[in-house]
Structures are given as C-alpha cells and as structure tokens.
Amino acid sequence: MSTDLLRIYERLGSIARDALDYALSIIEPGMPILELCEKIEDRIRQGGAKPAFPVNIGINEVAAHYTATIGDRSVIPRDSVVKIDIGAHIDGYIVDAAITVSFNPMYNQLIKAAAKALEAAQFSMRPGVPVSMVGAQIERAIRSFGFKPIQNLTGHLIRRYELHAGKSIPNYDNGDRQRILEGEVYAVEPFSTNGSGYVDDSPSVTIYRLMKNPKPKDPHYDVLSYINNEIGPLPFTPRWLVHRFGNDVVKVIDELYSRGYIYGYPVLIEHGRGLVAQVEDTFVITRDGAIPVVNVLSLLR
Ligand code: MN
Ligand code: MN
C-alpha cells in the first residue's frame, strides 16, 4: 500500500474515531434518533470526510440498516442496547466502524463477546489466512460467552467506492478457503446475539443505493443525477436529499425503488427477536498482520 493511501487511512481513522467518541458522549435514553444520526454525520463532515453511508442506529433486535427517516420521532429507549455503525470516506476510500452502547449493565457481556471476537479476528488476520479461519475465531470467542454469532451477516473487503467488494469475513467457519492478501482492506464486524443467530429482512427500507448511471430518459432524472454526482455508488438516505428536493423526495425515492432504479437495503431484524451487539473496525492488511484503522476496541474500554 502506498504511503499516500496509508496517510488517507490515518486521517479516516482519526475522523471515524472522533465521530464515535462524540457519539458516545451525546447518546442517552430519550434522545431522538434523528438528532443522533445528523449530529454524527455532521461531525464526520466537519472532520474533513463524507459519510460513506447514513449512520446506522440499531436498537435491541434491530441488527443493521436502520437510519433515521425524515421527521423520525423515535428516541433511544431506556434499558436498550444500541449499535452505532458509521462510515467515512475521502475520495472513495472508505472506513467502516461500529460500537455498541448498553443502557442496562445486563447487556455488557453481550457487547464484550462481540469485542473479544473482533480482537480474536484481528490477531488471526494476516496474508495467506483463509477467511473462514477468521470466522472460526469470531465464533469461538462469541460462543465462549454463551452467545451466538449472527451467521448471515459478514465483514467485507473494501475497495475504492465499493463497500462490499466481493470477499467476505464470515462470523463463523463457513468453509470459505479464499485467502486474505497483503494490501487489502477489510471491515470485520462480529455480531453477537442471545437470539437465533440469523437476521431476516424486514419490510422497512431506510437506506438506498444507486444501481447504475442514470440516463436522461429515466424517471426523476434530476434526483437520480444529483445522487450520482453528490453521493455516487455509495449508500444514501432520503434525509440527505431534503435540502435540495423537499420532503416529497421520500415519495420519489419510494417510486424509484419499487420500479427498480435504485437498490434498497431492508432493515435487518434478529430472527428470534434476540438482542444484538456489534463491534466493527476496518483493517489494513500488512505483511505483519492486520492494523486497525479506527481502533474501536480502545473506545469500549
Ligand atoms: Mn458498518
Ligand atoms: Mn461493514
């Protein structure tokens, strides 16, 4: 990896770390999720990056892919376990990281299980190691706490402007013999649960992505081309379009989604309605091992 790229990842790491640190300092029960998402996204922008995707807030059995909607009135519930998953990018180079906060000490072990799993993954990742071996380490750590890993959520190879660039880091030994290579960048995200260990798609969608370059004959070309120019192929939410197109943009996005012009990420819910914790960091693979870009584990201590 070039020194320029390493420098960008150093910057991204400190921006994401600051944003998560800031999130930890402001989050509390009763806080509107809309306010939380917008403040964290603003913090990323102030740091000199762009959000690589809308801030995901996952409460209790909601595992991933929920972000505040326009006019969202939901708040952080009491006694909840809350995942804060953020992305930042500079020129398409992406960092992806998440922490979990508990407002009931009963859930601390669930979070610790995910954190220990991330630590085990970090120590096992180096060039030549099959991805399933990292998954085995993640599963072993989570099961040692008496919880289950979520099997149908994975970490992922990251490339420029590509959040999920092919190879996955499973959260269990799935037998995938593809190897980790020097110079690659991976997000690794163990999810621990006291539920069934699977997530289901819910009917609700709050995060979308452009699927192809828009053409002038496409419906709502103004909205599509704005997304293409300002956000590109990375995920977005209608909230980000309101200042330009007004509140009606929700209907436009709905229409573009149902007509197949944009992709939607369903909100993911734990199948057994179990509680879910997630700890995620982005790692640069060097000859000597995996370097955490954000070092989220140090934020949890
Ligand atoms: Mn993430
Ligand atoms: Mn990720």
Side-chain angles (χ1 to χ4, degrees), residues 53 85-86 96-98 189 278 280:
F53 50 82
D85 191 341
I86 71 163
D96 181 2
E189 46 189 312
Q278 172 202 19
E280 179 178 22

Side-chain angles (χ1 to χ4, degrees), residues 111-126:
I111 299 173
K112 201 170 170 195
K116 282 289 173 193
L118 185 66
E119 190 177 67
Q122 177 179 331
F123 292 140
S124 68
M125 281 194 299
R126 61 188 172 276

Side-chain angles (χ1 to χ4, degrees), residues 163-177:
L163 197 50
H164 291 248
K167 282 195 265 184
S168 297
I169 304 287
N171 287 326
Y172 69 107
D173 183 355
N174 68 346
D176 186 346
R177 302 296 297 169

